[in-house]
Amino acid sequence: MAEAELAQKLQRRLVLEDTEPSETNAEPQEEQNGEGEEKAVTANADSELSAKLNRRQDINAGNAVPSNRGQVFNPYTEFKEFSRKQIKDMERMFKQYDAGHDGYIDLMELKLMMEKLGAPQTHLGLKNMIKEVDEDFDGKLCYREFLLIFRKAASGELEEDSGLLALAKLSEIDVSTEGVKGAKDFFEAKVQALSSASKFEAEIRAEQDERKRQEEEKKNRRAAFKELKSAFN
């Protein structure tokens, strides 16, 4: 009986000795795996932080537009140098060439525009045109960036061989009605003119007065017709 118990104890000891090293070795492996996961998480966090810092540096340097930039865009208040009619003409032109109706003019749409204007560009030329005013680096022109073309043209910021200058000149939109001959003359003319707000209000009042005048003419014609009719009766 004692021999049987002793044999069982010895066998149990041998089993424990066989299993203990593997268990002992497993613990460092688990610790090593845990350290690897922590390193991976840390690396991802460092990469994300680095990307954010680079983005912030680009924004501060003026090489990028903040992603949280306000979505509300009013061309009449931001592009005060242009009249209400000029901005409407630019909007009409933008929509005309926005074939996809997605609010952007992409490379192929710009290619078609320049061909129709009679100034076809190479693929590289088209990309350079977009790059000159592409503030958010998405490779296409939104309506605001399209208006920037005419602002730069009016203020003399475009080179003579610039495709954007050709676009502005060949379009039917006249941005030189204020006697603009470069940035200095342009802003001097604006200082001497009425304030943009009062000018905008004056244009609206002029449109309203024109509608009233037309309505008054209609009333006068109707009254004259009734008077003529009553005379025959």
Side-chain angles (χ1 to χ4, degrees), residues 18-182:
D18 290 339
T19 56
E20 280 178 359
S22 61
E23 291 175 355
T24 304
N25 293 334
E27 291 178 2
Q29 183 65 32
E30 290 176 358
E31 291 178 359
Q32 185 175 357
N33 291 339
E35 291 177 359
E37 291 176 359
E38 288 179 3
K39 288 181 180 179
V41 171
T42 303
N44 291 336
D46 290 342
S47 176
E48 184 177 354
L49 179 59
S50 176
K52 288 182 177 180
L53 289 174
N54 289 335
R55 173 71 174 171
R56 175 55 56 188
Q57 289 175 352
D58 287 340
I59 292 172
N60 293 338
N63 297 325
V65 177
S67 58
N68 60 349
R69 180 176 183 163
Q71 299 299 315
V72 179
F73 167 57
N74 187 334
Y76 301 109
T77 57
E78 186 168 347
F79 290 83
K80 297 178 180 180
E81 62 266 39
F82 298 125
S83 69
R84 195 159 174 262
K85 180 182 181 302
Q86 287 173 329
I87 290 179
K88 284 185 175 180
D89 288 342
M90 294 176 207
E91 181 180 12
R92 186 160 45 249
M93 184 179 183
F94 179 84
K95 290 181 177 179
Q96 177 185 351
Y97 290 102
D98 178 17
H101 303 292
D102 57 355
Y104 295 94
I105 291 179
D106 60 24
L107 189 70
M108 294 307 297
E109 290 168 339
L110 181 61
K111 178 178 183 293
L112 179 62
M113 177 191 293
M114 297 307 295
E115 288 174 353
K116 287 191 174 182
L117 290 174
Q121 303 287 315
T122 64
H123 184 79
L124 180 60
L126 293 167
K127 291 181 71 174
N128 288 335
M129 287 174 65
I130 292 176
K131 188 177 180 180
E132 279 193 76
V133 289
D134 187 13
E135 292 187 329
D136 53 7
F137 305 105
D138 61 355
K140 51 189 177 182
L141 302 178
C142 65
Y143 177 44
R144 182 182 179 280
E145 291 166 342
F146 185 72
L147 293 180
L148 286 176
I149 296 173
F150 296 93
R151 168 179 281 175
K152 286 177 176 289
S155 59
E157 296 179 37
L158 299 176
E159 300 293 335
E160 282 298 324
D161 59 349
S162 169
L164 294 184
L165 186 60
L167 187 159
K169 285 183 176 180
L170 293 171
S171 70
E172 297 179 357
I173 302 166
D174 185 7
V175 295
S176 61
T177 54
E178 303 294 337
V180 179
K181 294 180 180 179

